[in-house]
Amino acid sequence: EGATLDDLREAVTTLEDGRRIARRVLGGGHPISAAFERYLRNARAALLKRIKCEQGMGAVRAALDAMET
């Protein structure tokens, strides 16, 4: 919950690299490769949720600003 948007982007990038390496070294069917897939899915979902939240907050800020003027 306390991760910044940049933290989440970095996590996704790191997990993408790890997944690629795990597939190449261990094969796609290895449990570690499968774990990287799950972690990457979760990180991407968290990143998307954070982006949507920040976009929504931008709309809220704009509406509040419009109400003040």
Side-chain angles (χ1 to χ4, degrees):
E1 287 294 319
T4 66
L5 190 56
D6 286 339
D7 291 339
L8 293 170
R9 286 184 177 125
E10 184 178 349
V12 168
T13 298
T14 301
L15 288 166
E16 287 171 342
D17 291 344
R19 177 189 63 174
R20 181 181 43 79
I21 292 167
R23 281 179 168 176
R24 185 178 67 232
V25 173
L26 303 171
H30 196 279
I32 291 176
S33 298
F36 268 105
E37 291 290 341
R38 285 191 311 275
Y39 299 147
L40 181 56
R41 258 193 319 273
N42 291 339
R44 284 178 173 161
L47 177 59
L48 181 61
K49 181 179 178 180
R50 175 63 59 87
I51 289 170
K52 287 181 177 180
C53 179
E54 290 197 8
Q55 287 172 343
M57 288 304 297
V60 169
R61 285 187 201 104
L64 289 173
D65 289 343
M67 291 168 53
E68 290 178 3
T69 57

